[in-house]
Amino acid sequence: MSYETILVEQKGAVTLITLNRPQALNALNAQVLADMIDAFGKFEADASQLCAVVTGSGDKAFAAGADIKEMADKSGAEFYAQDFFSGWTNQLVKVVRKPWIAAVNGFALGGGCEVAMMADFIIASETAKFGQPEVKLGVAPGMGGSQRLTRAVGKAKAMDMCLTGRMMDAAEAERSGLVSRVVPADKLLEEAMKAAETIAAMPPLAAMMNKELVDMAFETTLDTGLVMERRMFQVLTATEDKAEGMKAFVEKRPGVWKGR
Ligand code: HXC
């Protein structure tokens, strides 16, 4: 699998995707979006792949945002006609039911922070820096920053970051609930891959349904969410992997999953 702006490797059951425009701090242009949609489509369709990790090439950045040079001369009419960057949500996030992790190594700014927040969770290196500095460019977040950041860290910090454009370091991001873990920079990929391998070793349908349920908590009322949770639990009890999982526990051995 060869792309212009990303590297894609299959490592066992884990797909590792590396944003690969280090000369532009992995800024996200239209080609990155096209490559990511294709790579995620293949990841989703390949039954051997059960979890993905997205990271940035180089030490400096996960992604320093949407490509400002690409946006600078585009007219408002073009942004609207193209529904600029809607593909990140509509053709990527909404399409991918398998779990994926963002491994953030350095700057995750603007669209970079937004792509990290699209992942199911973020593992950050100690050097990671998160921000929504769009206000300084005369715009606002356009790929979920105002919505996902607010849900992750609450109004006070989201307002602070969106209005001042300041960056949040890894320690603050962990304290605020934006990232699940912070690890030393030289261990980032190893730790993210280990987490992905752990997920990939789970019964796949259960992993997907767990993802769907946690996501649902942001979309529905508590009552409806609790009903959906019970229904999904009950659906999972009908799988062969449930029978195997409980039998394996009783027999004190690892389960062997069929994904059905
Ligand atoms: C295009 C970028 C870029 C970006 C960095 N570069 N960020 N190119 N788009 N978002 C390029 C620089 O032009 C430069 O290339 C090279 O990467 C290295 O960057 P420097 O600025 O020289 O590095 P440094 O001084 O270390 O500063 C790092 C930085 C700074 C603090 C991350 O680059 C920065 O502030 N970048 C912009 C961050 C930002 O505003 N992001 C939000 C974008 S708007 P050359 O060739 O000049 O050497 C957005 C909206 C999303 O994301 C919504 C869309 C729908």
Side-chain angles (χ1 to χ4, degrees), residues 23-25 27 60 64-69 109-111 114 133-134 137 142:
Q23 72 290 350
L25 301 186
K60 227 177 140 179
D67 192 315
I68 298 167
K69 291 167 190 169
L109 302 178
E114 294 172 303
E134 287 90 342
L137 300 169

Side-chain angles (χ1 to χ4, degrees), residues 37 83 85-96 148:
I37 288 170
D83 200 4
F85 272 9
S86 61
W88 284 100
T89 294
N90 296 339
Q91 291 166 265
L92 199 153
V93 179
K94 285 190 179 171
V95 171
V96 177
R148 290 196 180 96

Side-chain angles (χ1 to χ4, degrees), residues 9-252:
E9 300 158 81
Q10 290 190 348
K11 294 177 179 285
V14 177
T15 300
L16 173 62
I17 300 177
T18 306
L19 301 167
N20 192 33
R21 301 184 69 217
Q23 72 290 350
L25 301 186
N26 303 320
L28 308 165
N29 61 15
Q31 191 59 48
V32 176
L33 174 57
D35 289 351
M36 287 288 277
I37 288 170
D38 192 79
F40 265 92
K42 291 194 164 77
F43 160 65
E44 188 69 9
D46 185 338
S48 76
Q49 297 303 289
L50 298 173
C51 190
V53 171
V54 176
T55 193
S57 64
D59 298 335
K60 227 177 140 179
F62 174 78
D67 192 315
I68 298 167
K69 291 167 190 169
E70 187 182 68
M71 294 188 292
D73 296 326
K74 208 184 262 292
S75 71
E78 284 175 290
F79 279 108
Y80 181 73
Q82 294 166 6
D83 200 4
F84 189 70
F85 272 9
S86 61
W88 284 100
T89 294
N90 296 339
Q91 291 166 265
L92 199 153
V93 179
K94 285 190 179 171
V95 171
V96 177
R97 298 167 73 209
K98 294 177 184 176
W100 61 287
I101 300 168
V104 173
N105 53 306
F107 294 115
L109 302 178
C113 186
E114 294 172 303
V115 169
M117 291 190 293
M118 289 173 196
D120 296 314
F121 61 96
I122 300 173
I123 299 180
S125 89
E126 284 166 351
T127 55
K129 287 198 186 308
F130 299 86
Q132 298 291 162
E134 287 90 342
V135 68
K136 296 186 198 171
L137 300 169
V139 287
M143 293 157 60
S146 63
Q147 305 303 300
R148 290 196 180 96
L149 185 66
T150 307
R151 282 164 168 78
V153 304
K155 177 179 171 181
K157 284 207 186 270
M159 278 289 190
D160 179 355
M161 289 174 72
C162 290
L163 292 177
T164 68
R166 80 167 173 92
M167 293 185 211
M168 196 185 250
D169 66 17
E172 185 181 3
E174 188 182 27
R175 273 201 314 278
S176 310
L178 178 57
V179 312
S180 69
R181 321 178 191 180
V182 178
V183 299
D186 61 349
K187 293 271 186 290
L188 175 67
L189 204 52
E190 189 184 319
E191 291 296 327
M193 289 301 291
K194 244 195 267 173
E197 281 155 14
T198 301
I199 293 167
M202 296 298 169
L205 297 184
M208 283 168 64
M209 284 207 196
N210 273 277
K211 166 175 169 143
E212 205 172 341
L213 281 169
V214 175
D215 279 339
M216 197 175 288
F218 291 99
E219 303 289 349
T220 189
T221 62
L222 181 59
D223 258 0
T224 306
L226 290 172
V227 170
M228 285 309 298
E229 185 190 70
R230 284 202 303 280
R231 295 294 168 258
M232 287 224 194
F233 172 87
Q234 290 155 2
V235 165
L236 283 168
T237 62
T239 63
E240 289 182 35
D241 284 348
K242 171 268 178 186
E244 165 65 2
M246 295 200 179
K247 190 160 179 272
F249 175 82
V250 173
E251 293 172 0
K252 299 186 188 298

